[in-house]
Amino acid sequence: MSAVFEMFESIDTLLGGAASLWVELAAMFCFTLGFVLLRFKASKQPAKSAKKLAATPRVQKIQPENYTKHRMRMEDAANCGNATKLVQEWRTAQAKSPTPKDLLKPVVQAFLDTETEALVPEIMEHLEQHKSVMANQWAATTILDAVARSGNMKVLEDFWGRLNKDLGIPHGFLLYETTIAGYAAAGYPKKVEEFHQAMQKENFRLSARGYSLIMKGFLKNGLVDEVKHYMVEMTEKGHAVPTFAVAQLFRVASETNRVHEVYRKLKERAIPIQPEAIAVLLEDCVRKHSQDMALVIEQEARAANIVLTASSYDSLLKVYAEGCNPRAHLILKEMQNQNMNLSDNLCVSLLARCAEGKFVGFAEEIVQQIRKNSKMTIATYSAVMKVYAYSGMYSKACDLYDDIKKDGIEPDAMMYGCLMKFSVECGRTQLSQQLSEKVSVLDIQNYMSLIRAAGRDRDVDRAFAVIQQLRENNVAPDSIALNCVVDVCVKAGDIKRAEQLVAEMEELKLEDIVTYNTLLKGYCQKHNIKAAKELLEKMAAAGKQPNDVSYNCLLNSLSSNGNYKDCWDIVEKMEKSNVKPDHYTASILLKGIKNMRGAHDVQKCFEFLDRCGVDPCCDEILLNTVLEICIRHKESGRLSRLMADFEKCNLRPAISTYGSLIKAYANLNRLDKCWFFWDQMRVDRGLEPNDIVWGCMLDALVTNGEVDDAMKLFERQCMRPNPVICSILVKGLANTQQPRRALQLWREMKQNGMKMNVVAYNVMIDSQARLGNMDEVMEIVQEMAADNCQPDSITHSTICKGYAVKGELAKAIEVLENMQQSKVPHDAIVYNTILDGCAKHKRVELVEPILETMEANGVGPSNFTLGILLKIYGRQRDLDKAFEAFKTLPRKGRFTPNTQVWSVLLGTCISAQSPDQALKVFRDMQAAGVMADSRGCTSLVQCLVRLDRFHEAIDVVDAVYGLQNKRSHNQNSSIDQECLESLLTSLAQAGLLEEQGAPLLQRLRAAKVSVSGRLMATALRTEVTKKESASAKPDDAKKGRVHPWEAKNKTVGFGK
């Protein structure tokens, strides 16, 4: 039996060292062949074999009954985890019998736990004693595996060397893998590589199990790069990477923020990424708030036909909900199609993320899903309330209370407190009172909600009653509650009671900076600036230094009153007191000057904004204010930079802000961006635009010439019409010469129940009057009377314009007389409209009577009036009347002639063939700091050149471009290149090119005036021509000279 046992052990050793299938097959074949031969020999020579067996030395064994007892005791000790007893029992039996296979590993582990130093010598001695049975690959592998798992690398190294050296056990395949796995588990990548190379030298290759053990050990130690290396090598060797390894690699990489890098590396090496690993990747995206990465992973997983797990869907919902990504809707629908239900915890988590991003549409879809599959809970209702509250939709949050009662759910104290707060915010103070009665014991926050509700109703007595109720319940009001009552007094305008309460708080030592700031707000609301400033001094004396809120409150009052000088004094005081201005400070200053026409204060505010480092994108109120000012004052450069900064920030705009963004991009002629934010608001975030935002979007389309798109948007959305929408669309149709369509739109809106106002009617009248459609105008006026809308001055002026356009000036004057008789307030606009009609239809005889009527009714003329008169007198070539009007009208109307009026006067002189008068006007313009427009300057130069007054023409060119006095060039004034060519040609023909033309060209180029190559070529060509015709008679040369504009049949200067 001993020989047979030894033979089996040899076979076991051989099988253990076989790494591949062919080795195993060869071993099996050899075993079968050897066994048959041995059996054959034994049958032939039984006597000799028996003698040989009898002569074989036997290992002394314990008697069977004693061996069984020792084995049972060892098994009991091993099962009970009693390492000390196990070692004792093993020592009792080890010398007389080899350790059973199933107990060798527990024995080694027991030594490691109790007597590590004795392990190597005693086990080695035991193996030596039972060498024939124990000195094999199986025993060595078992021992090394137990030591490797313990992480004791010193003992592992001792065994590795002595097993081979002392017992002659070869370093087989299993021994290498076991040892390498041990070093990997201990985190020794260099040792792993060393043994791996040694293994390869002995023609052993790592099995799939070996690679898995290495990666498992490295993952345990967070060695990401080493895991990647062996994972790639494993793939190259033809082994499939285990799923656990890829998923765990991503978990480890997540801890060091290397998930994206590792993911890309595995994708490059074509290592399969299974659904479990995808789930880990998406979980990391949720933790890192990486929506873009999640989108990439999802798309690539779908492209690879990887089935997403429930965990992956959950992660996608979370990351898309947080980022307000519309894909969240698609993912939820896909889960519904696959009958995947959302857990309560997941729903609450998703709703919380929707609240942060104000993703109302998706939140409501989740609620629908919950109601469909189960019932709403107190947790889900709380989460939905949070969504509405974060979005400023407090009324909708309060509406949930009815649903809660229908579902038979009793809100807890916290929910009641929130509902009370929301009801106050949306002005439903009666609901807040009802909710307060539902709570048996109100906490301080509930009482404060009641006080704020009293503030909403401006009910000071009720606020004080709440304080009294607090005291009756043995709750001493703190400074926060008392400050709320002070605020109620301020809101109600009861400054006296506010002062009394502040005095009581001072006696109780409960006053703080909020107390004084609230009282300060009351003084400012009453415009009592003196008391406000005295309170600031009192605060400083009491050790309560005014903060940014204090100064902002005073600034707001001063700004509202238009006292901007004092505003800047307060700002200066803030900066000297080291109180840093914030976005509220900037908002107040900008809001105060947004309606101002002067650019000085606007620029000063922008400089302040840049100096204090306030980012407009950090606050929606400030952002809206800055956008409005940039639009109003045509600050296109700043507006463009601000929009670029906004797109980089993380601000989630509210509905009103979307209107400002659309309006801003419309002014920048970026309709693509207008559509982007429109879709983001409606589709991505599920927000419903209000009338203002609707108006901004339609106006953006209309002002950018996309009237048809505006009409399609209006018709497609089937929104309820209102006067603002009607005005915008009608104005767009009128601008594109579509009066019939405008009239049809108005009629349809009227049929749908739209109630018009005066502004909308004026727009409708203008859409028809500008084309002279007076029958339609009268129809609209009749509807206006039927709607009880009283016509204003704009209505009458527009009707006058219609008659003036049509040429029915008598009717226009009749409308004007009716306005005067009805004492309808009117200004110069209506007179200008009729005068403009007189000019267009050449009814000069009506001009003087209209001017007399205008003066008789105390209506002062304007620049527009003067411009019309100059055009009329210019056509009559009556310079005396033109100059008389230019002299007298500005005094009567108390205005300064603008550039357009000066240019008209200049043109009048030129058309009246009076170059001297034209030059005088031009010089007067220079003295007044005004420069004519390009058309006027060009006409003047052409006029002077035609009369061979070259020196004066050159003076005009010098003046326009500032060539002599180094004055900066006015970009609105220039002279056509064709006119300059004519001037140089005439100079050359007159023999003055070298003396006057060439210096002029040099001055133009030195001033960086755009001088075309054609202009230079003209000068050179003309000079050559002059030299070639030098022999011609002067009179013949002059007679043959033809100006370029005459050759082109142009009428300029004194032409016909």
Side-chain angles (χ1 to χ4, degrees), residues 244 246-256 259 276 280 283-284 287:
F244 89 88
V246 179
Q248 188 60 26
L249 175 60
F250 288 141
R251 290 191 183 96
V252 174
S254 174
E255 297 173 1
T256 54
V259 170
E276 292 80 3
V280 174
E283 287 171 6
D284 179 75
R287 285 192 295 271

Side-chain angles (χ1 to χ4, degrees), residues 546-806:
N547 58 10
D548 54 342
V549 178
S550 313
Y551 289 111
N552 287 341
C553 186
L554 189 55
L555 274 174
N556 189 45
S557 179
L558 293 169
S559 176
S560 301
N561 294 328
N563 195 344
Y564 302 110
K565 183 180 181 300
D566 285 353
C567 283
W568 292 114
D569 292 340
I570 294 296
V571 170
E572 185 179 352
K573 189 174 181 180
M574 284 181 72
E575 294 175 337
K576 287 181 179 179
S577 301
N578 293 323
V579 177
K580 186 177 181 180
D582 59 3
H583 59 276
Y584 292 110
T585 314
S587 295
I588 292 166
L589 291 172
L590 290 167
K591 188 167 59 177
I593 57 103
K594 68 180 181 182
N595 293 321
M596 295 180 63
R597 295 183 179 179
H600 175 71
D601 284 313
V602 175
Q603 291 302 323
K604 196 172 182 180
C605 270
F606 282 141
E607 289 171 4
F608 165 76
L609 192 66
D610 297 335
R611 185 173 70 250
C612 65
V614 175
D615 180 11
C617 299
C618 70
D619 177 73
E620 285 193 86
I621 296 175
L622 176 59
L623 176 64
N624 288 327
T625 305
V626 176
L627 288 175
E628 186 175 353
I629 293 174
C630 288
I631 292 169
R632 184 163 297 181
H633 292 273
K634 295 180 172 51
E635 291 279 345
S636 301
R638 182 176 287 271
L639 182 62
S640 181
R641 293 192 299 273
L642 180 58
M643 298 311 297
D645 291 340
F646 172 79
E647 293 192 10
K648 297 175 185 175
C649 77
N650 296 320
L651 183 67
R652 297 285 180 189
I655 294 175
S656 58
T657 306
Y658 273 112
S660 298
L661 295 173
I662 291 170
K663 191 175 180 181
Y665 274 121
N667 276 267
L668 295 173
N669 300 319
R670 291 294 305 273
L671 271 183
D672 57 328
K673 289 292 185 179
C674 295
W675 280 116
F676 171 80
F677 282 107
W678 177 261
D679 292 338
Q680 184 187 82
M681 174 185 61
R682 299 211 68 197
V683 180
D684 298 354
R685 297 183 57 194
L687 299 176
E688 188 62 33
N690 55 26
D691 290 345
I692 296 174
V693 180
W694 265 108
C696 289
M697 186 61 199
L698 293 174
D699 187 63
L701 294 169
V702 167
T703 54
N704 282 276
E706 300 294 338
V707 180
D708 290 339
D709 286 346
M711 291 295 296
K712 288 177 184 177
L713 178 64
F714 171 76
E715 294 166 356
R716 186 171 66 246
Q717 301 298 336
C718 298
M719 61 172 293
R720 184 177 178 181
N722 61 63
V724 176
I725 302 297
C726 176
S727 300
I728 292 170
L729 294 175
V730 168
K731 192 183 295 183
L733 293 170
N735 290 338
T736 53
Q737 305 295 312
Q738 300 184 69
R740 293 184 180 278
R741 194 175 177 189
L743 201 63
Q744 181 183 356
L745 175 67
W746 168 65
R747 288 167 178 163
E748 290 175 357
M749 287 186 173
K750 288 278 291 180
Q751 291 175 0
N752 292 331
M754 181 191 69
K755 186 171 179 60
M756 297 279 284
N757 57 21
V758 178
V759 175
Y761 269 119
N762 288 341
V763 173
M764 274 303 307
I765 293 171
D766 179 70
S767 69
Q768 306 301 317
R770 64 172 61 190
L771 296 176
N773 300 335
M774 297 312 296
D775 292 338
E776 288 78 2
V777 168
M778 290 299 105
E779 176 189 348
I780 298 168
V781 170
Q782 290 174 1
E783 286 292 327
M784 190 175 183
D787 283 347
N788 294 321
C789 283
Q790 293 297 324
D792 58 8
S793 60
I794 298 176
T795 312
H796 290 91
S797 299
T798 310
I799 295 173
C800 286
K801 181 172 71 174
Y803 283 126
V805 168
K806 199 172 182 181

Side-chain angles (χ1 to χ4, degrees), residues 827-982:
D827 53 18
I829 295 176
V830 63
Y831 294 97
N832 293 338
T833 302
I834 299 175
L835 286 172
D836 190 50
C838 293
K840 289 179 180 177
H841 296 283
K842 300 178 181 179
R843 297 291 301 276
V844 183
E845 73 278 4
L846 298 175
V847 172
E848 291 300 329
I850 292 171
L851 290 175
E852 291 173 0
T853 306
M854 189 176 184
E855 185 175 0
N857 285 276
V859 178
S862 64
N863 268 307
F864 194 76
T865 313
L866 180 55
I868 295 171
L869 291 177
L870 292 177
K871 288 179 183 177
I872 293 173
Y873 297 143
R875 288 170 185 168
Q876 293 180 310
R877 300 192 177 184
D878 191 342
L879 288 182
D880 292 335
K881 283 189 176 181
F883 277 101
E884 180 65 22
F886 189 83
K887 181 180 178 181
T888 58
L889 259 66
R891 285 203 306 268
K892 292 179 180 179
R894 296 179 181 178
F895 65 88
T896 301
N898 58 22
T899 303
Q900 289 77 17
V901 170
W902 279 102
S903 297
V904 173
L905 182 60
L906 179 65
T908 300
C909 295
I910 294 171
S911 62
Q913 302 182 11
S914 180
D916 292 330
Q917 291 280 27
L919 279 172
K920 183 178 181 304
V921 170
F922 184 79
R923 292 178 183 125
D924 289 343
M925 291 177 71
Q926 286 182 277
V930 179
M931 180 56 68
D933 57 18
S934 298
R935 181 179 178 184
C937 295
T938 300
S939 298
L940 179 58
V941 172
Q942 288 175 342
C943 172
L944 295 170
V945 170
R946 186 178 183 85
L947 297 172
D948 293 338
R949 298 170 69 165
F950 304 124
H951 183 73
E952 291 165 325
I954 291 173
D955 286 344
V956 172
V957 176
D958 285 337
V960 170
Y961 292 108
L963 304 181
Q964 294 289 358
N965 54 8
K966 306 299 182 183
R967 178 180 57 82
S968 59
H969 174 215
N970 187 343
Q971 297 298 324
N972 295 322
S973 300
S974 62
I975 298 173
D976 291 346
Q977 293 281 322
E978 203 170 282
C979 178
L980 292 175
E981 289 177 21
S982 301

Side-chain angles (χ1 to χ4, degrees), residues 445-458:
Q445 295 298 325
N446 300 138
Y447 280 112
M448 287 179 64
S449 294
L450 292 175
I451 295 171
R452 292 192 182 100
R456 277 273 186 177
D457 295 336
R458 305 291 193 270

Side-chain angles (χ1 to χ4, degrees), residues 184-366:
Y188 290 99
K190 291 183 179 179
K191 280 288 186 180
V192 171
E193 186 60 26
E194 177 186 333
F195 274 80
H196 186 204
Q197 291 178 1
M199 184 179 183
Q200 290 175 330
K201 288 180 181 179
E202 296 191 27
N203 295 323
F204 292 127
R205 289 196 312 166
L206 277 173
S207 65
R209 175 178 173 275
Y211 279 112
S212 298
L213 290 173
I214 292 173
M215 288 187 290
K216 185 177 180 181
F218 284 157
L219 287 169
K220 175 185 172 184
N221 291 278
L223 301 174
V224 175
D225 292 324
E226 286 73 9
V227 175
K228 282 195 303 180
H229 170 75
Y230 281 98
M231 195 172 281
V232 171
E233 185 176 309
M234 184 178 185
T235 306
E236 292 172 350
K237 297 297 182 182
H239 300 298
V241 177
T243 302
F244 89 88
V246 179
Q248 188 60 26
L249 175 60
F250 288 141
R251 290 191 183 96
V252 174
S254 174
E255 297 173 1
T256 54
N257 295 319
R258 297 182 60 188
V259 170
H260 184 74
E261 170 201 337
V262 173
Y263 175 68
R264 284 291 159 221
K265 182 71 174 178
L266 299 189
K267 291 287 290 184
E268 289 172 6
R269 296 290 184 167
I271 296 176
I273 300 176
Q274 300 302 323
E276 292 80 3
I278 294 294
V280 174
L281 286 170
L282 293 174
E283 287 171 6
D284 179 75
C285 293
V286 174
R287 285 192 295 271
K288 304 292 174 51
H289 311 285
S290 179
Q291 180 185 174
D292 294 338
M293 183 66 179
L295 182 60
V296 170
I297 293 170
E298 181 202 352
Q299 291 174 344
E300 293 184 355
R302 292 184 187 279
N305 295 321
I306 298 174
V307 179
L308 298 179
T309 63
S311 176
S312 297
Y313 278 115
D314 291 354
S315 297
L316 287 173
L317 282 178
K318 289 176 182 177
V319 75
Y320 289 152
E322 184 176 11
C324 299
N325 193 315
R327 287 196 62 80
H329 296 282
L330 302 177
I331 297 297
L332 183 60
K333 187 175 182 180
E334 193 172 325
M335 292 181 70
Q336 292 171 355
N337 294 337
Q338 297 183 23
N339 296 320
M340 292 183 180
N341 293 327
L342 305 179
S343 66
D344 288 344
N345 290 337
L346 176 61
C347 290
V348 172
S349 176
L350 292 174
L351 290 171
R353 286 171 165 81
C354 290
E356 293 291 339
K358 303 175 184 176
F359 200 3
V360 179
F362 185 60
E364 291 177 340
E365 189 173 350
I366 293 171

